[in-house]
Amino acid sequence: MQDKKYNLFWNIIFVLIIISICFGVYYASKRVDYIWRWERLWQYFVYEDVTNIRTPLAGNVEITDNKIKVIPMQGAEPYVVKTFEKAHVNDGDLVFEGDVLASSSKIKAGPLLTGLYMTIKISLVAIFFAIIIGVLTGIARISKNPALKKLAVTYIELIRGTPLLVQIFIFYFFIGTVLHLNRFTAGTAALAVFTGAYIAEIVRAGIQSIPKGQMEASRSLGMNYFQAMRYIIMPQALKRTLPPMAGQFISLIKDSSLVSVISITDLTKSGREIVTSTFSPFEVWFSVALLYLILTSSLSFLVQLLERRLSESD
Amino acid sequence: MIDNKKIIIAKDVVKTFPNGVKALKKVSLEVNYGEVVVIIGPSGSGKSTLLRTLNFLEPINDGEIIIDGISLTDPKTNINKVREEVGMVFQQFNLFPHMTALENITIAPITVRKVSKSEAEKTAIQLLEKVGLADRATSYPSQLSGGQQQRVAIARALAMKPKIMLFDEPTSALDPEMIGEVLEVMKTLAREGMTMVVVTHEMGFAREVADRVIFMDEGEIIETNTPLELFRNPDNERLQKFLSQIL
């Protein structure tokens, strides 16, 4: 209880430290003559895409019941615009070929959002396949069959012993060329295979943490090995492995930024492109980091919910 | 060759563990239909190992085991099929912690015997009533006491409608006040004519229920007799010593 007394004090200290770090960043940017232009950034989230409608011929404009008609002087067929949002001409105006008659605009997702979408898509597909690869390899890893076991060990050691960046290059330039994979498939496959190796080790540890008696009880009831695994061992093992799995999925989301090296326009690559056109690296990279943080923290929130639901039997 | 009265025939069973320990040295055992056999002996005498060889949880190195006319040592035998007929109750209960008491009991009939869920649940509730736990169907094992868990484990084994029940020290992990409730269930089973092989330290149970008591030591069967004779005139020195320690 002695500790509790000072809690408020230390919480204030925490807030002060955070504030001073923020101020430090701001001050540092002032020292290098950096001009913050947050307002420029919004267009990279969403922007208004304006399409102009131009007249292909010269003539007089006539506006009747929401239609713009251009009537040429020589009495040829008139040019009619039926759908538009904003008229740029008035009734009776004289227009020449190429003049803007009207415009319509659409709200479109900017590169930051499309990049975010690509990152989510890559991550979800990779997580899905990583789980399948990981669970199968994890079971093979503890199999009594030497071929299965050694294959699993070789795969795990190979993947864990080489950098992901190199694996992505190998997947894209070698395997991708041989099997005619597109960028997305190659990048996602590299991520899934990489994460699968780590999940395999997590699954192995999870299975081995289940007491031997569980398998014996299942087998003594007449279940075969696969039934025992499916109904008794795996449900318990997967529940135990949920926290380390979540950590691995979060790593995968972050590691997905590496696929930008094979020209997949994910969040990171979008960020780099925006920096080259805005010269506002601070704002862009802070925003990109924040978007990754939102992704990873919502994932860990989901996993926590799942954990709570599964802990009913504890 | 196959004796119709014998449901278990174990002939010259040898079991050597990978670390070189000889757990069973040419052990032979025969059990009749409806017979209750209690195996006693000091720890490390091989009595649990013998029990576990009877449903092949422990593969044997030599000898032959025939359960209800089917040889377990025959490579063509589907061991899973034999295990459906042999229920087993463990010292540590080994209930499935992620399932309720009811699900623990229904999982094997549903997955192995392909019984419909509703029918399996009906049987499970009857069995829970039989072991006195009808009100705990939706409880998880972690919410049950040791004695209750062991009774659910017995119900789980019974749900497969086995011809033989094996009990591996079913009361050894229980607090003393819970031993009685488990033994009571076992006594009921014995009275109903179930064939039972029980490894236990409960001499009272052996005396009251057993048709035959087997004393094992150092991987061998030393003496077999009716409980009355075995406890009254133990003629083997090791048995005398064991009984004097335990009684």
Side-chain angles (χ1 to χ4, degrees):
Chain A
M1 291 305 102
Q2 186 72 19
D3 300 339
K4 276 235 166 116
K5 235 167 71 185
Y6 298 104
N7 264 358
L8 181 67
F9 171 73
W10 288 114
N11 278 319
I12 291 169
I13 291 289
F14 163 75
V15 172
L16 287 179
I17 290 173
I18 294 294
I19 289 174
S20 54
I21 288 174
C22 292
F23 182 76
V25 170
Y26 176 76
Y27 183 71
S29 69
K30 281 281 171 216
R31 283 287 299 272
V32 293
D33 264 345
Y34 190 81
I35 303 158
W36 293 85
R37 290 199 188 91
W38 285 102
E39 70 283 355
R40 276 192 189 180
L41 210 63
W42 299 114
Q43 54 177 318
Y44 296 101
F45 283 96
V46 282
Y47 66 96
E48 207 181 3
D49 185 32
V50 181
T51 342
N52 286 325
I53 303 160
R54 291 166 195 276
T55 169
L57 37 85
N60 284 308
V61 175
E62 192 185 300
I63 302 182
T64 41
D65 20 290
N66 273 331
K67 274 183 209 162
I68 300 175
K69 255 188 204 169
V70 179
I71 301 157
M73 285 153 199
Q74 283 82 19
E77 275 293 295
Y79 175 68
V80 185
V81 181
K82 282 178 188 155
T83 52
F84 61 93
E85 274 170 12
K86 198 175 157 203
H88 291 261
V89 287
N90 291 317
D91 203 17
D93 279 3
L94 179 66
V95 291
F96 294 95
E97 200 181 318
D99 284 357
V100 176
L101 293 177
S103 66
S104 23
S105 65
K106 247 193 270 173
I107 300 292
K108 276 195 169 174
L112 275 179
L113 281 194
T114 52
L116 180 70
Y117 172 71
M118 180 53 100
T119 291
I120 293 174
K121 198 164 110 182
I122 290 178
S123 304
L124 286 184
V125 175
I127 284 174
F128 176 76
F129 285 105
I131 292 175
I132 295 177
I133 297 173
V135 168
L136 292 181
T137 316
I139 294 175
R141 173 79 176 70
I142 51 169
S143 157
K144 286 197 181 81
N145 182 320
L148 272 179
K149 187 177 178 165
K150 282 179 180 163
L151 272 174
V153 172
T154 311
Y155 158 66
I156 292 168
E157 291 305 318
L158 231 100
I159 294 297
R160 294 205 306 178
T162 50
L164 175 58
L165 192 56
V166 175
Q167 289 168 21
I168 291 174
F169 282 134
I170 292 176
F171 260 87
Y172 182 55
F173 290 112
F174 175 64
I175 302 176
T177 312
V178 175
L179 300 175
H180 300 290
L181 302 179
N182 60 30
R183 290 173 208 288
F184 179 81
T185 316
T188 315
L191 279 174
V193 167
F194 175 78
T195 308
Y198 287 88
I199 290 184
E201 281 296 281
I202 294 173
V203 168
R204 176 192 62 81
I207 293 174
Q208 285 177 337
S209 76
I210 305 299
K212 239 179 88 193
Q214 292 290 311
M215 181 54 105
E216 288 184 348
S218 323
R219 300 305 301 272
S220 79
L221 287 165
M223 289 190 202
N224 60 38
Y225 178 80
F226 293 101
Q227 287 169 331
M229 273 294 185
R230 158 87 180 73
Y231 296 107
I232 310 302
I233 308 297
M234 289 311 279
Q236 296 181 56
L238 290 184
K239 187 174 134 189
R240 288 189 190 188
T241 54
L242 216 48
M245 286 268 209
Q248 209 55 57
F249 296 153
I250 286 168
S251 286
L252 185 142
I253 292 178
K254 293 184 292 176
D255 290 344
S256 74
S257 63
L258 287 174
V259 298
S260 60
V261 297
I262 54 170
S263 284
I264 295 175
T265 313
D266 72 330
L267 189 49
T268 304
K269 184 146 188 292
S270 296
R272 215 157 44 198
E273 282 168 3
I274 296 165
V275 169
T276 48
S277 57
T278 59
F279 302 109
S280 303
F282 290 12
E283 295 90 330
V284 172
W285 290 125
F286 278 132
S287 309
V288 167
L290 185 72
L291 288 173
Y292 274 113
L293 192 65
I294 291 171
L295 276 190
T296 51
S297 48
S298 36
L299 181 70
S300 58
F301 177 71
L302 280 179
V303 172
Q304 268 172 30
L305 276 188
L306 190 62
E307 249 179 278
R308 211 168 304 156
R309 265 190 54 187
L310 288 176
S311 67
E312 190 192 0
S313 61
D314 290 339
Chain B
M1 153 129 188
I2 290 158
D3 190 332
N4 278 332
K5 274 181 73 188
K6 306 267 185 260
I7 192 163
I8 300 173
I9 302 169
K11 260 189 291 197
D12 300 329
V13 173
V14 175
K15 171 73 192 181
T16 312
F17 283 114
N19 60 10
V21 173
K22 286 192 169 64
L24 297 175
K25 304 169 188 164
K26 286 207 168 214
V27 172
S28 296
L29 169 74
E30 293 184 347
V31 179
N32 294 322
Y33 276 93
E35 196 178 14
V36 177
V37 175
V38 170
I39 306 175
I40 59 172
S43 58
S45 59
K47 52 193 193 308
S48 280
T49 311
L50 175 62
L51 195 77
R52 289 158 58 84
T53 61
L54 297 182
N55 67 354
F56 240 60
L57 277 185
E58 213 69 81
I60 60 174
N61 301 94
D62 200 13
E64 193 178 15
I65 292 170
I66 300 166
I67 302 291
D68 201 22
I70 302 167
S71 170
L72 292 187
T73 32
D74 184 345
K76 277 179 290 196
T77 300
N78 181 354
I79 301 288
N80 294 328
K81 276 273 163 243
V82 181
R83 283 182 180 146
E84 291 176 23
E85 312 298 335
V86 184
M88 184 150 189
V89 176
F90 300 86
Q91 182 177 352
Q92 299 296 340
F93 330 133
N94 295 346
L95 286 183
F96 307 134
H98 60 304
M99 294 178 175
T100 62
L102 193 75
E103 288 165 342
N104 262 282
I105 299 171
T106 55
I107 182 76
I110 291 172
T111 57
V112 180
R113 288 240 198 252
K114 310 291 178 205
V115 174
S116 74
K117 192 169 177 241
S118 59
E119 198 176 318
E121 282 178 354
K122 223 173 83 190
T123 321
I125 288 166
Q126 284 169 1
L127 286 168
L128 279 173
E129 271 165 20
K130 183 173 182 172
V131 298
L133 290 170
D135 53 333
R136 305 311 298 267
T138 56
S139 302
Y140 285 96
S142 57
Q143 299 159 341
L144 299 172
S145 73
Q148 290 172 329
Q149 287 190 53
Q150 192 61 298
R151 285 186 279 155
V152 172
I154 294 174
R156 176 177 72 177
L158 289 175
M160 291 297 284
K161 303 194 166 66
K163 293 175 180 155
I164 305 168
M165 284 286 282
L166 307 176
F167 291 85
D168 188 4
E169 305 202 25
T171 56
S172 298
L174 294 178
D175 290 335
E177 76 269 22
M178 293 171 182
I179 291 175
E181 60 194 60
V182 172
L183 290 182
E184 216 38 64
V185 172
M186 291 167 64
K187 282 174 197 167
T188 313
L189 271 185
R191 274 196 294 272
E192 286 169 4
M194 173 66 77
T195 308
M196 290 163 63
V197 182
V198 185
V199 171
T200 185
H201 294 293
E202 292 300 319
M203 296 305 146
F205 175 81
R207 204 171 289 169
E208 192 180 334
V209 184
D211 296 309
R212 221 159 16 117
V213 177
I214 290 172
F215 173 67
M216 281 186 77
D217 194 15
E218 293 180 359
E220 286 168 314
I221 291 179
I222 308 293
E223 197 166 330
T224 307
N225 215 329
T226 60
L228 207 62
E229 282 300 310
L230 190 122
F231 289 121
R232 194 189 292 160
N233 323 304
D235 44 29
N236 180 283
E237 197 184 310
R238 277 188 276 181
L239 175 56
Q240 283 166 6
K241 193 170 158 236
F242 175 72
L243 288 177
S244 69
Q245 279 167 346
I246 206 156
L247 290 175

